Amino acid sequence: MSRTSTQVAGVKFDSYICNASGPLDASFEELQSLGESKSSAIMMKSCTIEPREGNPEPRYVRLPHGAIQSMGLPNLGYKKYLDFVKDLKKYSKPIIASVSGLSLDDYVVMVKEFQKSDVDLIEVNLSCPNIEGKPQVAYDFEQSEKILSAIRNLGKKPLGLKLPPYNDFSFQKQMAELILKYDIKFITCINSIGNTLVIDPEKESTIIKPKRGFGGLSGEYIKPVALANVRAFYELLNGKVSIFGVGGVNTGSDAFEFLLAGADAVQVGTVFEKEGSGCFERINMELEEILLKKGYDSIESVKGNLKYL
Ligand code: DHB
């Protein structure tokens, strides 16, 4: 057992760092290379019922401290990911499905099928910001409750929610009530900040093509928002629900901040897209060094121990 091993919803992770759903996790080859990497889990791209090509290019642009994207859920359709699971088991690490329905029925169908599969966890994405005409579900608490009530009893595997950023405690409180009511076992905080706009003043233009330039912001820009959401949910959920922190994890020190805020593990998206799979080992080693230097021998001994002034 390493100093950074952890658990999410009762499932063991060999380290604190895994990939986030999004970059480089849609094809079988990409998922295999995640299996071979030091990512402590294989998190799959959010899938839909039918395969999708996604939005027109340019749809992902790196920025000095992160990225803006409007991918539009390019994926192979959930049946392919169900097929991949059997082959990915050989990597002996947790496999996480991510489902992103375009309707309530879609969520039911996909959760039911992944419940019958060999995945370890199911992340229900309630926060994709990039489909024209489809608001992020998790901002609509009534619709979220309908989905949660329809998917809660479809099997025994732990269900989690991928949440968007909330910027008022009243929203986190409403969502926390649903999480506890419907026995959700983990949450992933946060998805990219939806519908942001980056402008190129030289060209006097937007920099991505879909949705008139509006897209999800990720990377270092969003770390304080992500930390705030992890912390707010940590305080609201009383240790009953595991938390993945995601948003701007670039270094071991970033991961350590998420640990203090209360995250059980962190996911890395933007930096993985930029740096490749070496980032998992690098960030984990940096975190190990911090823990060693500070005299902490486990994730559990630090988790949530943020001091207040
Ligand atoms: C996409 C973006 C997201 O933030 C998400 O949660 C799922 C999918 C996308 O555009 O592909």
Side-chain angles (χ1 to χ4, degrees):
M1 266 229 332
S2 91
R3 199 177 296 269
T4 60
S5 60
T6 186
Q7 288 201 15
V8 174
V11 173
K12 291 203 172 78
F13 282 55
D14 282 348
S15 90
Y16 196 65
I17 322 288
C18 69
N19 71 302
S21 186
L24 309 176
D25 59 355
S27 71
F28 184 59
E29 293 70 28
E30 288 170 332
L31 293 166
Q32 276 183 311
S33 65
L34 281 164
E36 279 151 24
S37 78
K38 295 280 188 198
S39 173
S40 60
I42 302 175
M43 163 67 83
M44 302 199 274
K45 171 74 183 166
S46 289
C47 61
T48 49
I49 298 280
E50 299 297 335
R52 289 173 60 89
E53 300 244 320
N55 290 338
E57 313 237 9
R59 59 190 187 180
Y60 188 107
V61 175
R62 290 181 191 162
L63 301 170
H65 302 284
I68 184 171
Q69 53 79 27
S70 181
M71 301 299 288
L73 277 165
N75 78 96
L76 304 170
Y78 80 103
K79 287 186 183 151
K80 280 272 194 283
Y81 298 102
L82 280 171
D83 278 350
F84 295 163
V85 176
K86 296 173 210 81
D87 288 312
L88 296 172
K89 282 312 264 187
K90 67 170 182 248
Y91 295 109
S92 302
K93 55 171 96 168
I95 300 174
I96 311 172
S98 172
V99 300
S100 195
L102 302 178
S103 70
L104 185 145
D105 283 352
D106 289 4
Y107 281 106
V108 172
V109 170
M110 290 190 283
V111 170
K112 204 184 262 174
E113 292 305 314
F114 279 110
Q115 282 288 8
K116 290 190 255 168
S117 78
D118 273 338
V119 299
D120 297 278
L121 298 169
I122 302 171
E123 189 177 87
V124 179
N125 188 345
L126 297 184
S127 49
C128 176
N130 297 335
I131 307 296
E132 194 92 55
K134 296 268 175 203
Q136 293 161 81
V137 180
Y139 288 136
D140 177 341
F141 296 101
E142 255 176 53
Q143 184 61 13
S144 297
E145 179 152 19
K146 280 190 194 142
I147 292 170
L148 295 185
S149 113
I151 61 174
R152 75 180 303 190
N153 286 326
L154 301 175
K156 294 214 154 46
K157 291 185 201 297
L159 291 182
L161 301 183
K162 176 101 172 240
L163 296 174
Y166 296 107
N167 296 314
D168 193 275
F169 295 136
S170 64
F171 298 132
Q172 285 139 348
K173 193 158 173 283
Q174 286 183 75
M175 184 46 79
E177 280 164 12
L178 294 181
I179 288 163
L180 295 172
K181 180 170 172 189
Y182 291 97
D183 203 22
I184 293 300
K185 299 292 193 215
F186 71 96
I187 57 172
T188 304
C189 292
I190 56 173
N191 208 322
S192 52
I193 299 182
N195 300 308
T196 61
L197 185 63
V198 175
I199 291 174
D200 180 339
E202 208 62 49
K203 294 189 182 143
E204 305 178 11
S205 159
T206 59
I207 69 167
I208 55 171
K209 186 173 172 73
K211 284 184 74 178
R212 302 170 330 282
F214 290 87
L217 186 70
S218 63
E220 285 172 49
Y221 302 109
I222 75 168
K223 189 177 76 170
V225 183
L227 286 170
N229 276 270
V230 167
R231 187 64 185 176
F233 279 110
Y234 180 79
E235 289 177 345
L236 286 161
L237 296 170
N238 300 318
K240 295 191 187 106
V241 178
S242 300
I243 303 176
F244 276 117
V246 52
V249 176
N250 191 4
T251 65
S253 181
D254 296 327
F256 185 68
E257 290 169 31
F258 276 92
L259 176 57
L260 289 172
D264 293 272
V266 294
Q267 302 176 354
V268 181
T270 310
V271 165
F272 173 39
E273 190 282 326
K274 193 165 164 207
E275 182 177 330
S277 60
C279 70
F280 303 115
E281 187 168 24
R282 175 184 62 74
I283 297 170
N284 199 53
M285 275 171 48
E286 290 169 3
L287 176 62
E288 292 244 8
E289 266 170 42
I290 291 168
L291 295 180
L292 189 65
K293 217 187 241 169
K294 286 176 171 276
Y296 296 123
D297 59 8
S298 69
I299 290 295
E300 207 50 42
S301 65
V302 195
K303 195 178 76 193
N305 289 354
L306 180 64
K307 294 175 191 156
Y308 297 110
L309 296 178

